[in-house]
Amino acid sequence: MSDFTNNFWNLYIVVLTVLGVLGCAVLLYSQSKYKVAKHNGPVGTTGHVWDEDLTELNTPMPRWWMWMFYLTIVFGIAYLFLYPGLGSYAGKLGWNSAKEYKAELAKADSEYGPLFEKYRQQDLKAVAADPQAHAIGERLFLTYCAQCHGSDARGNKGFPNLTDKDWLHGGAPETIKQTIMNGRHGVMPAMGAALGSDKDIENVAHYVLSLSGSAASDPIKSVFGKSKFSACMACHGAGGVGNQAMGAPNLSDKTWLYGGSAETIMETIRKGRDNTMPAFGDFLGESKVHVLSAYVWSLSNETK
Amino acid sequence: MNAPEPQVIRMYEARQEIYPREAKGRYASLRWLCVWLTQLAFYGLPWLTWNGRQAVLFDLTTRKFYLFGLVLWPQDFIYLAALLIICAWLLFLVTAVAGRVWCGFACPQTVYTEIFLWIERKIEGPRSARMALAKQGPSLRKFSKRTAKHLAWGLVALWTGFTFVGYFTPIKVLGAESFTLAFGPWEWFWVLFYALATYGNAGWLREQVCKYMCPYARFQSSMFDRDTLIVTYDAKRGEPRGKVAKDTGLSVNGGSCIDCTMCVQVCPTGIDIRNGLQYECIGCAACVDACNSVMDKVEQPRGLIRYSTDRALATGMSAQDIRRRAMRPRVLIYTAGLLLVVIAVASSLVLRTPLKMDVIRDRGSMGREVDGGAIENVYRLQIMNTTEQPHRYRIVAAGLPGLVLATTDEVTLAGTETRAVPIRLRAPHGAGQAGSNKITVQLTALDDPALTVKETAVFIVPR
């Protein structure tokens, strides 16, 4: 693997590094000796005289120190041989940080894997009743799910509330697990053109409101809207009760994914909605998703 | 005449071996007392038990430092900085008053060298015997003595390395492991590394550490002044030196110094104190002990070499005057600085609450409207119970009229547990202004009202 698009930079670094190490060795060797003429100057000076009478005292460094310097050079060469450091040379040991990360990941998996595996063998409802699994599930949820569904799992605009009994695709433990494993893609087509004028859209919106008995629904408009609602029935059903097989929301309750005002519903009808729950199966692995599913299910169900 | 032959001078010199003679006297005893005190503390502390765990344990894997009843968390890292500041001030103060007494009496380099020298003396004999042994060619006697010495040094070094690691990993577990040598790789590394450092520094490098490696030796002179106590040779009284004259006890030349060179022989850094104050002098006062015992023998007053100050030596001040000069601005400033930091740290330790909380607002939601028009915000409370006992806490939010917790307001944490607790705060319709509102979240232990932390946060009301 080369980190450089052009081999020039690779060579540049190799040459600089090698010259640097060699330079240190040469400097050290050349400076350990100093040639002076015999009988030159008093004893205890290097014989170096400048500015008329200034002399350099011979105050030597201990020899073991010099050898330590040489040792650091040997260490540096050995290091460059074993580890990546010379341009794109990978090093004899083949170490790199990505491998180390994977090794640590594998170590963690082998350490905690058996625990998750134990829960994976159990029924989801049994896992939900286990306090330790609940605590693990909560931590997983706070790490991977809270960004969209909120720390309290009550969702957000466009992100479903997971603590109520209302489910787009079904609230059985196995269904929840399937949702987390494979993700979901919910599409509401833009119905504006199919329904007709703005007036028609407004009427349908008020009919939709009337299905859940909302006080905001205008009775006259909803009567006009009822006839146009047939365009919506294919997915939401005759009474607007929704269809969990398709992920079509129930319109006859007071739970709204995007908001329950006439304006928001009109916008949904006009432009449609496109919503994605990402798949976590490949990322987290089935055993972790198993514990997580049990936790999510327990949010809206008594486990005792 | 021929051109002079070029001569090669080596810029690096081989070490001059030093064989310090054993000094006996007041200061030698004091140094041994320091050796005993510091080493009893170092080797003994990790074996003490407190609250059913090791009393002093720096647990790096769980990042908790246990110091008897005190548990320090990474958030308390400031205390390490404070400890270093205190050490620095203490060093300044002690150095200004009494020079390098730290070096001469309490520095680990000195203490371990003293222990290793004691072993050397027990096995190879006194200074003259050691020098003779070193000059000797290879022999069985020399080989066995050297082997015994290095074995003994190695054992002390290994025990030191073992004890050192015992501060970071439970020492009783480590002790059990050491019978089967079942250390982990890092335990092996640090036991051997610290043992090797002890063996190398106290056995081989010795004064070289003080002369060439120690940074403190480089800057200690900036704390010195003319009133700092130093080990000095009273040249006025000692010179001119010479052989001892039989009748007077003075030298034949009339000075008190009889040129017996005992002060040079006992010096662990190999200097001659009679040449005046030198940077190699670590202030161990071995030469004072040596000279005093010689002065006793020739029936002269003690104190030819003594602790004195530069000014006292020049002006002939009395001991009382020297003590009076100790109260000078430099010393008073160092003392004040030291006291300030010590008081600040002590009060901070006493007043600190062993409970920590961070309030983190959910960033995905700006605040949601629920039934009846009330507004809810979601928070995650990162709660750290830094005591070793479990506690039940009550969460209270305030800052907006009618602000309540929509979730449970009580939470239980086990000892030294950290938990993220999600909470929902609900404000009635119309409370606060659109946008952000300042609120506070307070956490109080039900069984101990002193365990209270209060954090500010923001409550967002959608426009």
Side-chain angles (χ1 to χ4, degrees):
Chain A
M1 185 192 75
S2 174
D3 293 310
F4 305 106
T5 51
N6 185 324
N7 204 37
F8 168 77
W9 292 110
N10 180 27
L11 285 174
Y12 176 78
I13 289 176
V14 170
V15 168
L16 269 192
T17 312
V18 170
L19 282 185
V21 173
L22 286 180
C24 284
V26 168
L27 181 76
L28 196 54
Y29 180 74
S30 69
Q31 293 305 298
S32 74
K33 293 193 278 185
Y34 185 71
K35 285 184 193 327
V36 289
K38 244 180 189 171
H39 315 299
N40 184 0
V43 183
T45 76
T46 58
H48 182 197
V49 184
W50 72 101
D51 277 357
E52 293 175 7
D53 60 348
L54 293 183
T55 56
E56 187 180 342
L57 284 177
N58 182 16
T59 47
M61 265 206 317
R63 195 168 285 167
W64 58 261
W65 197 329
M66 181 185 74
W67 285 112
M68 292 230 302
F69 273 137
Y70 279 126
L71 272 181
T72 61
I73 290 171
V74 171
F75 179 88
I77 293 170
Y79 188 91
L80 286 173
F81 176 71
L82 293 174
Y83 288 94
L86 268 186
S88 56
Y89 168 63
K92 196 74 187 162
L93 294 181
W95 180 93
N96 66 46
S97 53
K99 276 187 197 163
E100 183 170 310
Y101 170 72
K102 278 185 192 136
E104 282 185 22
L105 214 59
K107 189 172 160 237
D109 277 343
S110 70
E111 195 171 331
Y112 305 116
L115 183 65
F116 282 110
E117 193 55 32
K118 183 187 92 187
Y119 289 125
R120 200 178 69 82
Q121 308 288 338
Q122 296 174 9
D123 180 61
L124 278 164
K125 289 183 182 173
V127 177
D130 185 306
Q132 189 194 20
H134 190 271
I136 296 172
E138 183 181 33
R139 277 198 289 277
L140 286 172
F141 185 89
L142 288 176
T143 306
Y144 299 111
C145 316
Q147 284 79 3
C148 296
H149 294 282
S151 294
D152 64 344
R154 287 186 170 244
N156 243 317
K157 186 175 180 180
F159 301 101
N161 181 346
L162 306 178
T163 63
D164 58 16
K165 291 273 187 187
D166 196 54
W167 295 92
L168 289 169
H169 297 272
E174 287 72 25
T175 317
I176 293 172
K177 183 174 171 184
Q178 207 184 338
T179 303
I180 301 174
M181 283 294 287
N182 304 323
R184 298 283 184 185
H185 189 189
V187 181
M188 153 96 187
M191 299 298 285
L195 287 180
S197 69
D198 274 2
K199 195 78 201 155
D200 294 325
I201 293 170
E202 193 181 351
N203 291 341
V204 173
H206 278 273
Y207 176 68
V208 169
L209 276 174
S210 75
L211 288 175
S212 50
S214 168
S217 164
D218 182 318
I220 316 271
K221 285 175 183 165
S222 89
V223 168
F224 284 117
K226 186 175 182 179
S227 59
K228 290 274 184 186
F229 187 73
S230 55
C232 315
M233 284 183 193
C235 298
H236 291 286
V241 293
N243 183 347
Q244 291 187 336
M246 314 178 67
N250 182 354
L251 306 177
S252 65
D253 60 14
K254 289 200 170 171
T255 305
W256 299 95
L257 190 51
Y258 290 90
S261 68
E263 287 73 27
T264 312
I265 295 170
M266 282 166 68
E267 193 189 332
T268 305
I269 296 170
R270 194 178 289 123
K271 296 179 181 165
R273 297 285 184 187
D274 192 334
N275 209 351
T276 305
M277 155 86 191
F280 281 84
D282 287 343
F283 175 52
L284 288 179
E286 199 206 328
S287 49
K288 277 183 193 159
V289 170
H290 195 78
V291 174
L292 193 49
S293 308
Y295 172 77
V296 171
W297 179 79
S298 76
L299 292 173
S300 52
N301 291 277
E302 278 299 320
T303 54
K304 294 279 149 29
Chain B
M1 206 171 87
N2 292 334
E5 186 84 355
Q7 181 194 359
V8 175
I9 294 180
R10 285 273 164 194
M11 291 296 277
Y12 300 122
E13 79 174 346
R15 178 192 177 196
Q16 304 292 315
E17 196 71 44
I18 295 171
Y19 301 89
R21 180 187 283 277
E22 184 183 13
K24 282 203 174 91
R26 196 170 5 148
Y27 295 108
S29 308
L30 190 61
R31 186 160 40 257
W32 273 109
L33 182 71
C34 286
V35 172
W36 277 105
L37 286 179
T38 52
Q39 296 319 293
L40 274 180
F42 175 72
Y43 291 117
L45 265 184
W47 295 98
L48 298 180
T49 303
W50 189 277
N51 273 356
R53 49 147 174 93
Q54 191 167 322
V56 179
L57 179 67
F58 307 113
D59 193 344
L60 293 177
T61 43
T62 64
R63 293 181 212 111
K64 291 183 185 77
F65 285 10
Y66 299 95
L67 292 163
F68 295 94
L70 193 69
V71 185
L72 295 178
W73 288 49
Q75 285 82 356
D76 299 313
F77 212 68
I78 182 101
Y79 290 113
L80 180 65
L83 181 71
L84 293 177
I85 293 171
I86 289 175
C87 287
W89 277 111
L90 206 58
L91 204 59
F92 295 167
L93 175 62
V94 167
T95 308
V97 172
R100 293 177 72 173
V101 282
W102 160 259
C103 299
F105 292 89
C107 172
Q109 180 63 26
T110 295
V111 166
Y112 285 102
T113 302
E114 194 76 15
I115 295 172
F116 274 47
L117 264 174
W118 179 82
I119 294 172
E120 194 168 80
R121 264 199 308 274
K122 285 292 153 206
I123 293 172
E124 293 186 355
R127 179 172 193 260
S128 48
R130 297 206 300 277
M131 289 170 89
L133 192 71
K135 262 196 215 126
Q136 240 172 47
S139 71
L140 189 66
R141 187 175 149 274
K142 181 171 179 175
F143 178 76
S144 57
K145 285 209 164 187
R146 282 281 153 95
T147 310
K149 178 177 83 174
H150 287 290
L151 271 179
W153 281 359
L155 284 177
V156 175
L158 280 173
W159 186 30
T160 309
F162 168 79
T163 305
F164 175 74
V165 174
Y167 278 91
F168 299 93
T169 184
I171 198 163
K172 281 167 192 165
V173 178
L174 202 66
E177 283 174 358
S178 67
F179 283 109
T180 53
L181 293 178
F183 293 161
W186 284 112
E187 289 168 354
W188 267 120
F189 175 79
W190 284 110
V191 167
L192 292 182
F193 181 85
Y194 203 76
L196 194 70
T198 309
Y199 173 78
N201 282 341
W204 292 94
L205 290 174
R206 290 188 185 167
E207 84 288 348
Q208 307 245 59
V209 173
C210 314
K211 281 162 72 173
Y212 302 110
M213 295 157 88
C214 177
Y216 172 52
R218 305 280 135 191
F219 68 82
Q220 46 88 18
S221 57
S222 67
M223 276 91 75
F224 272 53
D225 56 27
R226 294 197 67 203
D227 296 305
T228 299
L229 279 175
I230 47 175
V231 175
T232 52
Y233 165 69
D234 191 342
K236 271 186 202 158
R237 184 188 142 194
E239 302 294 323
R241 69 182 85 145
K243 274 202 187 99
V244 63
K246 269 198 179 125
D247 45 348
T248 59
L250 292 169
S251 75
V252 287
N253 296 330
S256 278
C257 176
I258 58 166
D259 208 9
C260 65
T261 70
M262 288 302 278
C263 56
V264 181
Q265 293 181 31
V266 295
C267 181
T269 60
I271 58 167
D272 186 344
I273 192 65
R274 294 171 300 176
N275 295 338
L277 181 62
Q278 293 146 78
Y279 87 92
E280 291 98 333
C281 174
I282 59 169
C284 70
C287 51
V288 178
D289 281 338
C291 190
N292 279 346
S293 66
V294 169
M295 288 297 117
D296 288 350
K297 269 182 209 144
V298 297
E299 293 174 342
Q300 288 280 311
R302 290 178 162 209
L304 175 59
I305 302 177
R306 64 175 185 272
Y307 267 114
S308 184
T309 70
D310 195 30
R311 194 191 301 278
L313 225 53
T315 60
M317 279 160 67
S318 68
Q320 202 186 359
D321 284 336
I322 293 176
R323 272 198 292 280
R324 200 171 293 134
R325 294 289 306 176
M327 292 293 152
R328 54 196 189 274
R330 175 195 282 266
V331 174
L332 294 178
I333 290 169
Y334 286 152
T335 312
L338 179 65
L339 279 179
L340 208 70
V341 183
V342 167
I343 290 169
V345 170
S347 48
S348 149
L349 272 177
V350 169
L351 295 175
R352 128 196 136 91
T353 311
L355 172 68
K356 294 177 200 304
M357 173 175 68
D358 285 327
V359 182
I360 306 154
R361 239 191 119 264
D362 260 22
R363 286 191 290 179
S365 149
M366 297 300 279
R368 59 172 92 105
E369 203 176 316
V370 293
D371 266 358
I375 305 294
E376 278 186 4
N377 275 207
V378 182
Y379 303 82
R380 208 188 281 190
L381 304 185
Q382 190 76 32
I383 303 174
M384 280 161 265
N385 174 14
T386 66
T387 67
E388 292 182 83
Q389 293 78 40
H391 287 291
R392 187 156 186 81
Y393 303 98
R394 169 159 296 139
I395 308 164
V396 179
L400 283 175
L403 187 71
V404 289
L405 260 97
T407 37
T408 173
D409 67 344
E410 286 191 1
V411 57
T412 304
L413 264 78
T416 68
E417 192 191 355
T418 301
R419 262 235 325 263
V421 180
I423 61 160
R424 259 180 304 140
L425 296 184
R426 184 183 293 163
H429 179 73
Q433 62 200 34
S436 77
N437 297 274
K438 279 217 168 71
I439 58 159
T440 58
V441 179
Q442 185 179 311
L443 195 66
T444 307
L446 293 176
D447 57 345
D448 183 3
L451 283 180
T452 295
V453 283
K454 202 176 194 176
E455 285 292 321
T456 58
V458 162
F459 188 94
I460 291 185
V461 177
R463 285 169 212 279

